[in-house]
């Protein structure tokens, strides 16, 4: 069925992004919001807005009944979940379908299988995709020690039901494992409503490379890979496409394995398969699939020219894939940096507050996906992401030069942001050479803590 009115079940910059994609397709939009978000940009841009509850995410953006009722009452025929919140919740997808609404994303069964890391590992092995050695299912306090000994320490303790680095702990021996299991389970329960855990071998200096796929439930294609190794506490801060220095043979193998797995699980919509790549051995291992749009999807859009959110909406509306694999050509290089309301000079302390003035960068090859406007008050209740600065150029060196210039133009007065961190990173010789891994940024921050930078005025 063609989608006529789309409800956006999210907030912030991704809500703005979805509304703009829907508008291009001539689809009316409904934006749900908590009472803390009544003034956010997405509310201003949408055709309609519905208050679904108090600031607490549990009572608003995670309130399945309130979101489905808002869709029905507003006459929406589809719901886009964005990323985070309920985007990878199979029960939510089922509730949407039960209300005779379209869920813009994969089926509940696919979400359930690929969103559970243990089940996803089994699906990957069945599709011939290599996986990191780990537990074959959920572990308990009683079973974990023997399983970890079989894998070999150090091991990662990971949440089975979620992503984004939540619930992850590294245990270097049996005593540390026993101490960390309850902590990891409690964090996973708080973040995803499910405290289940599994174990995986810890590869200390691996690169984090992921592959973007599109599927229509029958066939799938890939849109190349992204490099996501610059992370702090397993939260990505910098992404780029294509991955620098990745051998062509490894790139081809990664991408073809992603398509095999996407087709094996009859994937529908936009999804991302995440891998660890070992520069020393050339090995790669599947670690998880994100059954939703990713924060870093714009770098793929910039190098392929494909609007991933638009394609998600078209596929959910019943259209087959519009692109063949041969149509996808990667041109140039794109880099994205996340601008968060955090103070990197004070251990990344959250910095909500009012934006008193705003200067956005522009020019050829520059894009800034954001929810900000002058006078907007960033609430303290949610993720700190304010926007994403994305640049493109014909070469990686050109993209980094464009990023340096764009960061020099960016000004957000009134609150601290992570722009200064990226201004330092883009000038680092290791970053310029693509010499980094998933632990590199934390080591870099320990070696050279950032000094406070005076607030730059963007307006007289």
């Amino acid at each position: 069925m063609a989608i006529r009115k789309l409800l956006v079940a999210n907030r912030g910059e991704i809500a703005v992004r979805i509304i703009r994609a829907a508008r291009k397709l001539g689809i009316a939009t409904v934006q749900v919001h908590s009472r803390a978000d009544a003034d956010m940009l997405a509310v201003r841009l949408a055709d309609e807005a519905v208050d679904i509850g108090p600031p607490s995410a549990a009572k608003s953006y995670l309130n399945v009944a309130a979101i489905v009722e808002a869709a029905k009452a507003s006459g929406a025929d589809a719901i886009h979940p964005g990323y985070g919140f309920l985007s990878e919740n199979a029960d939510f997808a089922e509730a949407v379908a039960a209300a005779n609404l379209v869920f813009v994303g994969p089926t509940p069964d696919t979400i359930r299988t690929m969103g559970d890391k243990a089940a996803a590992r089994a699906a990957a092995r069945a599709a011939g995709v290599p996986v990191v050695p780990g537990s074959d299912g959920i572990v308990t306090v009683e079973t974990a020690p023997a399983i970890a000994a079989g894998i070999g320490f150090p091991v990662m303790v990971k949440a089975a039901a979620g992503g984004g680095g939540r619930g992850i702990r590294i245990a270097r021996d049996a005593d540390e494992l026993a101490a960390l299991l309850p902590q990891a389970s409690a964090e996973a329960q708080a973040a995803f409503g499910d405290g289940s855990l599994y174990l995986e071998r810890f590869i200390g200096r691996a690169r984090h490379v992921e592959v973007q796929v599109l599927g229509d439930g029958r066939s799938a294609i890939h849109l190349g890979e992204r490099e996501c190794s610059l992370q702090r506490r397993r939260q990505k801060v910098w992404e780029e496409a294509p991955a620098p220095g990745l051998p062509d043979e490894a790139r081809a193998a990664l991408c073809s394995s992603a398509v095999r797995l996407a087709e094996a699980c009859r994937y529908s919509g936009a999804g991302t398969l995440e891998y660890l790549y070992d520069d020393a051995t050339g090995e790669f291992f599947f670690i998880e699939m994100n059954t939703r749009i990713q924060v870093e999807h714009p770098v793929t859009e910039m190098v392929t020219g494909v609007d991933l959110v638009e394609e998600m909406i078209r596929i959910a509306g019943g259209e087959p894939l519009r692109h063949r694999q041969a149509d996808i050509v990667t041109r140039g290089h794109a880099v994205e940096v996340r601008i968060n309301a955090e103070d990197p000079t004070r251990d990344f302390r959250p910095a909500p507050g009012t934006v008193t003035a705003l200067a956005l960068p522009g020019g050829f090859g520059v894009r800034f996906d954001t929810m900000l406007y002058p006078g907007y008050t960033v609430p303290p209740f949610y993720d700190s992401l304010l926007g994403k600065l994305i640049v493109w150029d014909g070469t990686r060196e050109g993209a980094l030069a464009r990023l340096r210039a764009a960061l020099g133009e960016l000004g957000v007065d009134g609150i601290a942001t992570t722009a200064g961190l990226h201004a330092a990173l883009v000038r680092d010789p290791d970053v310029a050479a693509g010499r980094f891994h998933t632990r590199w940024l934390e080591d870099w921050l320990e070696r050279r803590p950032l000094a406070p930078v005076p607030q730059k005025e963007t307006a007289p």
Side-chain angles (χ1 to χ4, degrees):
M1 60 172 284
I3 296 172
R4 299 179 304 277
K5 182 182 280 192
L6 177 67
L7 182 138
V8 183
N10 215 292
R11 64 176 303 278
E13 67 85 19
I14 190 59
V16 172
R17 172 75 181 86
I18 294 165
I19 289 168
R20 287 174 170 157
R23 179 180 292 164
K24 187 249 184 180
L25 293 170
I27 297 171
T29 53
V30 181
Q31 176 64 54
V32 296
H33 64 88
S34 72
R35 286 193 274 281
D37 274 337
D39 293 328
M40 71 176 174
L41 183 57
V43 169
R44 297 185 173 198
L45 292 177
D47 297 296
E48 302 173 42
V50 180
D51 182 335
I52 55 168
S56 166
K59 297 180 180 179
S60 52
Y61 298 109
L62 294 173
N63 188 333
V64 172
I67 292 170
V68 171
E69 180 55 36
K72 291 162 61 177
S74 64
D77 46 26
I79 295 178
H80 197 307
Y83 54 69
F85 293 129
L86 294 168
S87 62
E88 295 179 280
N89 187 305
D91 293 339
F92 177 55
E94 286 181 339
V96 171
N100 294 316
L101 302 168
V102 173
F103 180 79
V104 182
T107 66
D109 285 346
T110 299
I111 295 173
R112 193 166 278 119
T113 298
M114 301 310 294
D116 182 301
K117 293 182 181 60
R121 284 167 53 87
R125 282 197 298 266
V129 178
V131 300
V132 180
S135 59
D136 290 327
I138 304 303
V139 300
T140 66
V141 173
E142 292 75 24
T143 62
I147 293 171
I151 296 169
F153 287 100
V155 296
M156 296 182 74
V157 183
K158 304 183 75 172
R166 301 289 181 85
I168 292 178
R169 299 289 190 278
I170 298 172
R172 303 189 183 279
D173 55 41
D175 290 341
E176 194 169 13
L177 177 65
L180 293 179
L181 283 168
Q183 299 172 21
S185 181
E187 185 176 349
Q189 181 67 40
F192 310 114
D194 184 344
S196 300
L197 302 172
Y198 78 107
L199 302 180
E200 194 174 86
R201 182 201 292 169
F202 176 59
I203 303 173
R205 296 178 64 85
R207 288 168 60 183
H208 187 133
V209 179
E210 62 188 29
V211 179
Q212 177 71 59
V213 295
L214 276 176
D216 60 10
R218 296 173 292 278
S219 60
I221 61 171
H222 72 80
L223 292 94
E225 86 290 347
R226 298 185 287 255
E227 173 77 57
C228 303
S229 297
L230 288 176
Q231 303 177 12
R232 176 181 174 270
R233 296 180 179 174
R234 299 179 188 87
Q235 298 289 311
K236 302 167 189 173
V237 302
W238 167 305
E239 300 99 356
E240 49 187 297
L246 190 66
D248 288 342
E249 184 177 349
R251 178 177 288 110
L254 274 164
C255 292
S256 63
S257 77
V259 172
R260 285 202 309 276
L261 185 48
E263 290 187 335
C265 68
R266 299 178 180 274
Y267 197 81
S268 180
T272 298
L273 292 95
E274 303 197 350
Y275 296 83
L276 292 179
Y277 177 77
D278 190 334
D279 267 325
T281 66
E283 294 176 290
F284 64 86
F285 303 100
F286 168 79
I287 50 174
E288 65 178 311
M289 183 176 193
N290 294 132
T291 55
R292 53 171 168 79
I293 196 71
Q294 292 274 89
V295 177
E296 57 271 24
H297 75 272
V299 291
T300 296
E301 294 180 333
M302 296 289 267
V303 297
T304 63
V306 176
D307 184 327
L308 292 168
V309 178
E310 176 183 342
E311 297 306 315
M312 290 183 77
I313 296 171
R314 287 181 177 276
I315 292 167
E319 294 187 30
L321 278 175
R322 299 194 303 151
H323 303 279
R324 299 172 303 165
Q325 191 63 64
D327 299 330
I328 305 302
V329 179
T330 298
R331 295 182 175 89
H333 199 93
V335 180
E336 172 184 300
V337 296
R338 302 190 189 193
I339 307 299
N340 291 354
E342 299 172 355
D343 187 345
T345 70
R346 294 178 173 83
D347 196 29
F348 294 83
R349 181 184 304 168
T354 300
V355 177
T356 56
L358 182 65
L360 300 182
F364 181 81
V366 177
R367 167 177 166 182
F368 191 63
D369 286 12
T370 188
M371 62 178 183
L372 295 180
Y373 59 84
Y376 174 66
T377 298
V378 179
F381 309 106
Y382 313 111
D383 185 90
S384 63
L385 182 65
L386 301 174
K388 294 132 40 173
L389 176 57
I390 310 108
V391 298
W392 177 93
D393 195 79
T395 65
R396 185 171 187 266
E397 294 76 14
L400 294 178
R402 182 159 282 149
L403 178 59
R404 284 193 294 272
L407 284 165
E409 292 184 31
L410 177 63
V412 182
D413 292 355
I415 59 175
T417 76
T418 52
L421 166 68
H422 297 299
L425 286 174
V426 77
R427 289 173 169 81
D428 187 274
D430 282 345
V431 173
R435 293 190 299 262
F436 41 67
H437 50 81
T438 54
R439 281 282 308 168
W440 184 92
L441 179 56
E442 291 184 338
D443 293 342
W444 183 87
L445 287 168
E446 288 180 6
R447 292 195 310 270
R448 49 160 300 168
L450 296 171
V453 177
Q455 179 73 35
K456 180 179 73 173
E457 292 296 328
T458 62

